[in-house]
Amino acid sequence: MSSFQTTDLNQSNRRKESLVRILLGMVTLTLIIPVGIILVTLIAKSEGTFSWAFFSEFPRNSMTEGGIFPALVGTLWLVAVALLASVPFGVAAAIYLSEYAEDTALTRAINLAIINLAGVPSIVHALFGVGAFVLFFEFGTSILAASLTMAVMTLPVVIVATRESLQAVPQPFREACWNMGATRWQTIWRIVLPNSISGILTGVILEVSRTVGETAPIMFTGAALFLPFLPTSVYDQTMAMSLHLYVISTQVPDVPEGLPYGVALTLIAIVMILNSVSIGFRTYLRGKKKW
Amino acid sequence: MAIETKGLSLWYGDFQALFDVDLSVREGQITSMIGPSGCGKSTFLRTINRINERHSYVRTEGGVEVFGEDVMAEDVELVQVRKQIGMVFQRPNALPISIRENVLFGLKLHSTKKMSRAKQDDEVEKALRRVLLWDTVKDRLGDVATSLSLEEQQKLCIARLLPMKPRVLLMDEPCSALDPKATSAVEDLIWELRGEYTILIVTHNMAQARRASDECIFMLMGKVIEHTKTEEMFLTPGHQETADYIEGRYG
């Protein structure tokens, strides 16, 4: 008998191996089921809703007819202003934490605060926004107040994503700079930032896609159920996609069945497009890196 | 003397890495530092350009003079110290920018005015010629430096120091990441720079110390055991520890 023949133990191990493999594979497969069901349902039920008018007209007849134009525009406003507020703050904080801060009790406290900030429920952020931005700073219910509330909420995402991409720049590059007499800022500006910008932008886009779908933080701070005009400044209220979906699904009687599905599909499409842009962007920039 | 230390001691937190080191490094020569891992060679190197102090847990005592000037003095500008005392690392750390920008990096850091294109070209060519790299890279100066071979990168790392007109070059095992052929090329280059620059080179490679240095320093456990002419050290070591180390009985 050859010494390389299979034994009973080999065979039983091989059976277990294939069993585990199938089990793990099936569990993983179930993860895409809900996503698939949601997409298929939305596409099927929203049939006939989409037209140019759907995207370009105001809602009519108590929002049971017409389009979603002001909600789309409003969401753009909200996201843009939230970005303007959160990105500079988030990136600055991440640069400080990654490149300047030493490991002290204060730094650790700040890191803890960031993690906890990410865990605060959005309804709590919403109420904080009402207290802080609407009432205390007297911005009223406005795009400004709503966007700042979302900015505070998404700040941890920006900080963590930025800090991680800064940390991904190899330390020897920094040492090379310091040993030539570069200050920290010269090192950051000339070497670290150019090499981490792809990661930072990816984080920013992910933040945007999160912001697009948020409802709670804007519903008390700046988003309106219905407005017959577009906002003209950050001090105006605005309609928004997420709140619009909530309203026509639950608050308005006699809405044609396809309409909420159409709005939901549009919302998901925006998020998916943004995520794909983010992934494509990352892949592109990663291909250009050479170290 | 190019570098002179007196009673130099250094602590990483509670751990003492250098004990009362008195050393004199001659101008224009190549001095190699040998000794087992953790004996304080690299630490000593990093004390000369004061890069060690970036860590708050590092504490130094004693004096370091470079060309007669106390680099530990209160009024010393660290940026000037690092500009005039260049450092080359174990792993080539060419920056992920173009070859040309690598050479100009230091120069741009330390000049207030914008240099003319012609002057820049001149500096780039001069530095790259000096490190015997010009002919290989002259047609692709715009390429990312990290795409060069390790040998070329290490030469570039030396080249980018030269436009800043350093007087001392500190090299921390500059060949340990290179294959034998590249090692010999970089060694030749270092020998080529002898005379113009004072070179202090840490190495684990006994043969390298022997063929490529004028003087040799042997360190053990943070102390200087012996410092003589290289040939003397390898032919007639003055201490038993030196002899043991050179012959590979520990390391």
Side-chain angles (χ1 to χ4, degrees):
Chain A
M1 190 175 134
S2 155
S3 54
F4 294 133
Q5 300 272 279
T6 180
T7 66
D8 289 350
L9 183 61
N10 293 148
Q11 287 191 340
S12 116
N13 278 343
R14 198 178 310 141
R15 271 195 301 277
K16 272 183 224 153
E17 174 69 20
S18 27
L19 196 72
V20 168
R21 193 191 173 94
I22 290 167
L23 212 69
L24 293 177
M26 272 164 52
V27 171
T28 312
L29 213 59
T30 56
L31 292 179
I32 66 166
I33 292 174
V35 181
I37 293 178
I38 290 173
L39 275 180
V40 169
T41 315
L42 286 180
I43 292 169
K45 298 242 181 179
S46 63
E47 213 200 324
T49 314
F50 296 110
S51 63
W52 176 243
F54 177 71
F55 296 107
S56 65
E57 286 182 1
F58 274 68
R60 285 192 313 270
N61 202 0
S62 311
M63 294 193 272
T64 55
E65 287 168 36
I68 55 165
F69 182 58
L72 268 178
V73 172
T75 291
L76 267 175
W77 270 89
L78 289 168
V79 170
V81 177
L83 273 184
L84 280 178
S86 66
V87 172
F89 271 94
V91 172
I95 290 177
Y96 180 78
L97 288 172
S98 162
E99 307 295 319
Y100 288 90
E102 297 196 18
D103 187 25
T104 61
L106 180 64
T107 319
R108 264 172 274 163
I110 293 173
N111 281 322
L112 201 66
I114 293 168
I115 295 166
N116 282 314
L117 195 60
V120 173
S122 58
I123 187 67
V124 177
H125 276 294
L127 295 173
F128 165 78
V130 173
F133 302 121
V134 177
L135 300 174
F136 184 78
F137 289 109
E138 297 181 350
F139 297 147
T141 47
S142 60
I143 291 176
L144 187 61
S147 290
L148 288 177
T149 308
M150 287 200 291
V152 171
M153 201 176 86
T154 50
L155 211 47
V157 183
V158 180
I159 294 176
V160 170
T162 306
R163 191 174 50 185
E164 273 167 14
S165 28
L166 293 172
Q167 296 285 314
V169 175
Q171 195 64 13
F173 293 156
R174 295 186 181 83
E175 278 169 15
C177 294
W178 296 333
N179 274 284
M180 280 189 274
T183 60
R184 284 195 188 237
W185 179 246
Q186 284 172 319
T187 306
I188 294 165
W189 184 248
R190 287 164 195 249
I191 298 297
V192 179
L193 273 182
N195 283 289
S196 51
I197 196 75
S198 63
I200 296 174
L201 288 177
T202 309
V204 168
I205 299 174
L206 284 178
E207 186 217 340
V208 174
S209 71
R210 234 176 69 122
T211 314
V212 168
E214 286 296 344
T215 317
I218 58 172
M219 63 193 290
F220 314 129
T221 51
L225 301 190
F226 175 73
L227 289 171
F229 45 79
L230 294 178
T232 52
S233 82
V234 291
Y235 296 105
D236 291 341
Q237 291 190 46
T238 182
M239 291 182 72
M241 288 291 289
S242 52
L243 187 65
H244 185 59
L245 175 60
Y246 169 72
V247 170
I248 60 170
S249 313
T250 60
Q251 310 290 305
V252 182
D254 302 327
V255 174
E257 210 202 349
L259 195 56
Y261 288 103
V263 175
L265 191 58
T266 312
L267 201 51
I268 289 189
I270 296 174
V271 172
M272 284 188 162
I273 290 170
L274 283 168
N275 286 348
S276 323
V277 168
S278 157
I279 291 166
F281 199 60
R282 191 168 45 193
T283 318
Y284 168 72
L285 282 161
R286 204 179 273 163
K288 282 183 66 174
K289 251 185 218 173
K290 284 203 186 107
W291 72 68
Chain B
M1 283 301 155
I3 304 170
E4 197 154 20
T5 67
K6 291 196 189 83
L8 182 63
S9 295
L10 182 142
W11 291 261
Y12 292 113
D14 293 331
F15 175 77
Q16 188 166 3
L18 292 177
F19 293 83
D20 221 6
V21 172
D22 296 313
L23 272 178
S24 307
V25 175
R26 275 179 215 284
E27 185 173 353
Q29 295 204 335
I30 300 177
T31 305
S32 60
M33 300 186 84
I34 58 171
S37 300
C39 72
K41 317 177 291 274
S42 294
T43 298
F44 180 79
L45 216 60
R46 282 153 196 269
T47 312
I48 307 297
N49 76 347
R50 295 185 59 182
I51 201 77
N52 257 338
E53 290 168 35
R54 295 179 27 79
H55 308 288
S56 53
Y57 52 85
V58 170
R59 188 163 61 85
T60 352
E61 261 176 29
V64 178
E65 285 187 1
V66 175
F67 293 104
E69 286 184 62
D70 182 5
V71 293
M72 297 296 194
E74 293 245 332
D75 61 347
V76 159
E77 170 63 55
L78 287 180
V79 168
Q80 285 299 333
V81 171
R82 290 175 194 156
K83 179 184 159 199
Q84 290 167 44
I85 306 177
M87 173 97 84
V88 179
F89 296 83
Q90 203 165 349
R91 276 204 70 78
N93 54 358
L95 295 167
I97 47 183
S98 73
I99 296 171
R100 183 188 154 84
E101 286 304 316
N102 260 278
V103 179
L104 294 172
F105 190 85
L107 215 50
K108 285 187 175 173
L109 285 179
H110 301 294
S111 59
T112 44
K113 280 196 292 279
K114 222 175 131 53
M115 239 181 304
S116 74
R117 181 83 191 182
K119 175 95 171 79
Q120 290 185 357
D121 290 343
D122 188 50
E123 290 285 355
V124 171
E125 178 169 352
K126 224 167 50 186
L128 289 175
R129 274 195 192 285
R130 196 76 184 81
V131 299
L132 317 171
L133 204 56
W134 175 250
D135 290 326
T136 4
V137 302
K138 64 168 184 264
D139 298 321
R140 45 180 174 131
L141 293 174
D143 286 8
V144 179
T146 37
S147 64
L148 293 172
S149 76
L150 282 181
E151 175 191 333
E152 292 163 341
Q153 285 195 41
Q154 195 61 306
K155 286 179 172 175
L156 181 64
C157 289
I158 297 174
R160 72 177 172 201
L161 301 174
L162 305 184
M164 292 187 279
K165 313 235 177 322
R167 301 171 74 186
V168 175
L169 298 180
L170 306 171
M171 303 192 179
D172 193 355
E173 300 188 43
C175 299
S176 65
L178 307 179
D179 64 44
K181 196 159 162 279
T183 297
S184 127
V186 171
E187 263 176 32
D188 287 349
L189 165 63
I190 294 171
W191 196 251
E192 180 76 16
L193 297 171
R194 184 179 173 273
E196 194 174 342
Y197 304 96
T198 302
I199 298 172
L200 185 57
I201 175 171
V202 164
T203 180
H204 263 115
N205 181 334
M206 223 61 62
Q208 180 177 66
R210 186 165 189 176
R211 57 176 183 255
S213 67
D214 298 289
E215 292 193 359
C216 193
I217 297 165
F218 173 60
M219 287 187 73
L220 193 61
M221 314 274 285
K223 293 180 181 125
V224 174
I225 304 295
E226 195 166 344
H227 176 193
T228 58
K229 292 217 172 307
T230 302
E231 34 189 311
E232 241 171 76
M233 181 173 294
F234 282 92
L235 287 175
T236 53
H239 291 78
Q240 190 55 43
E241 291 103 320
T242 317
D244 287 348
Y245 182 70
I246 289 171
E247 281 162 34
R249 261 171 281 184
Y250 62 91

